Structures are given as C-alpha cells and as structure tokens.
Amino acid sequence: MKPFHLRLAQLWTKACNGQKLSTMEIVEWVECLHAHRNWVSKLNELQNWADVAALVNDQDWENRLCEQIDKLIH
C-alpha cells in the first residue's frame, strides 16, 4: 500500500463518520486522489504492455514489465 492510499482511507473514514474535513484535509484528499489516479494509470499501462509482451512471446520484456509492476504495487 502506498502512503497516499492510507491517507485517502483515513480521510474517507473521517468523512463517512460524519466528521467535517478541514480545508487542508480536503486539499489532501484531492492530492491523494490525483496520486491514486496516476498510480492506477501507470499500473494499467504496465499491465497492458505485459499483455502485449506475452502475446508476442517476449519473455524477457514481460519479466521486466512484471518487475516494474511488482515495484509499483509494493
């Protein structure tokens, strides 16, 4: 889990519990959402390229992409 995932969950929990978010927390929330969007976009791109590598049977390329995916996830 990335730090922005944890903070996003904390802010969401606070909002779901009926607590009002401060202006700074709302800014953090938006920043976390942007970071999450960028993370998902990169992950999706790498997974798509890994699928292409598998289709063309390029195991070295696929392995390199899978390593990048693992680093991104962990």
Side-chain angles (χ1 to χ4, degrees):
M1 178 181 345
K2 299 296 180 185
F4 59 84
H5 288 130
L6 177 60
R7 187 60 180 146
L8 189 58
Q10 292 168 339
L11 293 168
W12 180 248
T13 299
K14 183 176 180 177
C16 287
N17 287 336
Q19 298 174 329
K20 187 173 180 173
L21 298 178
S22 70
T23 301
M24 191 59 179
E25 287 173 324
I26 293 170
V27 168
E28 279 185 90
W29 191 351
V30 171
E31 289 172 351
C32 288
L33 287 171
H34 283 274
H36 177 71
R37 180 202 59 205
N38 292 338
W39 180 84
V40 168
S41 178
K42 182 64 177 177
L43 181 59
N44 186 56
E45 178 184 3
L46 289 170
Q47 289 175 330
N48 286 340
W49 282 118
D51 289 345
V52 170
L55 283 173
V56 299
N57 202 28
D58 189 332
Q59 291 179 335
D60 289 335
W61 184 29
E62 184 179 6
N63 289 338
R64 288 193 308 272
L65 290 163
C66 288
E67 287 174 9
Q68 291 179 43
I69 291 168
D70 286 344
K71 287 179 185 176
L72 190 62
I73 291 174
H74 298 83

